[in-house]
Amino acid sequence: MSFDQRDTPYLDAVLRYRATGYTPFHTPGHKLGKGAPERLRGLLGEPCLQVDVAMAGGVEDTRESTHLIRLAEDHAAEAWGSDRCWFLVNGSTSGIHSLVLTLCGPGDEVIIPRNAHKSMLAGLIFSGAVPVYLEPDVDPLWGIPLTVSAEAAHRALAKHPAARAVFVISPTYNGLGTDLGAVAAVAHAAGVPFVTDQAWGPHLRFCPELPVDAMTAGADAAVVSTHKLISGITQTSVLMARAERINLARLDSMVAMTQSTSPQVLMYASIDAARQQMATRGAELWRGAIQQAQWARDELNRLPGIRCLGEETFTAKCVASFDPTRLTISSHDLGHSGYELETALRDDYRIAVEAADPLNVVLNVTYGDSHADIEKLVAAFRDYAGRRAGLAGGGSAAPAGLLAHAPEFTRQVLSPREAFFASSGALPLAECSGRVSAEMVTPYPPGIPVLGPGEAISDEIVAYLQEAATAGLKVHGPEDRSLQSLRVVA
Ligand SMILES: Cc1ncc(COP(=O)(O)O)c(C=O)c1O
């Protein structure tokens, strides 16, 4: 079937609903804004409140009709090159939960990158599956994880022939791409599905100058966050899959289990509109964004003490591609941490970044940025670099030493699910060696877990975490973020 990608069936239905002017005896209680508190009305505006309805509230009908949503999803399936798509209102997070629950049951092994997004851990806890890790290298200068290699996937599959699937992240948070075609070939040769967490790549499919997207490269399923880099509103994502190696009926049930039963129709309408925009104008829009980002990168790299990550940085064999619209910027050479840089940009220049860590800030450039916006960014950095010149040494210390000797994965004593439900208690970090962790511990940088639930804690891990605590690294996951104690299985 071939659709006209200019059509927007769901966006049209939502606009029709508003234009018709129904008297609502359905959710939400504010009744299309009429009863909403004044300041909320001011915040959202009448046009938005008048379509703040859940799917059953009349945009289709109350007989659980899903014709329009399915039609919009089928347009998206064609646009992203899959057999079936699902619009998600709980982010790519819920797409990953759905995929893990579809592909793995209790005790099943699944091959995943060690730096998988935390939604993967929840997927493992929900399903009872056991992870087999692919370890990405870390770039010591930038403190960021690189990608995983097809050779590593091959070795893991040879060692774990019963594994149920191979997952990778591509592109990474910093825009680095895996050799997707090679990993797909390795997974398919072993007879298992290949899934890509493409949360940061909803745009790739639509512009030939961007890295190849997962479905083109042979993935069986992928999840993309339409809210991250294209025009879906926050929380919207798309899950896509091919029928050959994935049970689409089961995946459909899992999607239903992981989504709200009251999806907001504005979310669906925004995914529909974002898909249409990409399918009809994506190449042109992203070419413009690539040029803007490249201009910014070149200008930033000319400033003393400022570095902006680019393609040339990666000689590592396993980094197959780079999304030039992601700007990872370091002012470390000026003696400022990423956090301090973030604060300076926000307070002194009114520039809000996507993320910061001890070494870098990360910024997204899209078709939504005007050249004036990019010039403002470069001018802010120029001013900042000028002000900081000669002050080097004032900022936070680089955790370079720590990055160079991350401890080895020990062994999975219990599945993440068993560890999560086991009785556990907090123990002083110094006494944790030989115990089994009940929680995940991920220091930033580089954002790769040092421990997951169910893993044996070694002397080396304790020493590393003590060092990380002293260096003041930000740690995600544990109950005690100061790392004075860890939660261990009783
Ligand atoms: C690699 C990766 N996967 C999945 C997710 C989850 O995406 P969402 O925020 O759409 O739930 C994120 C979020 O940042 C991510 O970075």
Side-chain angles (χ1 to χ4, degrees), residues 90-94 96 117 119 169 171 173 197 199-200 225 227-228 236-237:
N90 295 352
S92 292
T93 296
S94 62
I96 290 169
H117 184 255
S119 52
I169 301 171
Y173 199 66
D197 172 349
W200 286 99
S225 291
H227 70 95
K228 289 199 195 297
T236 61
S237 288

Side-chain angles (χ1 to χ4, degrees), residues 426-435 457 462 466 484 488:
L427 199 66
L429 178 59
E431 297 168 30
C432 286
S433 185
R435 304 298 295 265
I457 306 172
V462 169
Q466 284 168 335
Q484 296 308 300
V488 298

Side-chain angles (χ1 to χ4, degrees), residues 4-8 79 206 272-285:
D4 186 337
Q5 290 290 335
R6 289 169 302 182
D7 291 347
T8 47
F206 304 103
D272 200 26
R275 181 272 310 154
Q276 186 240 33
Q277 184 182 35
M278 286 300 106
T280 56
R281 297 184 54 217
E284 153 212 344
L285 291 173

Side-chain angles (χ1 to χ4, degrees), residues 305-330:
I306 303 291
R307 284 187 271 118
C308 184
L309 184 71
E311 196 150 10
E312 66 288 347
T313 317
F314 297 105
T315 45
K317 205 170 86 212
C318 57
V319 176
S321 62
F322 177 63
D323 175 355
T325 66
R326 309 308 307 290
L327 299 181
T328 299
I329 306 170
S330 169

Side-chain angles (χ1 to χ4, degrees), residues 36 130 249 292 402:
V130 180
Q292 304 258 39
L402 275 168

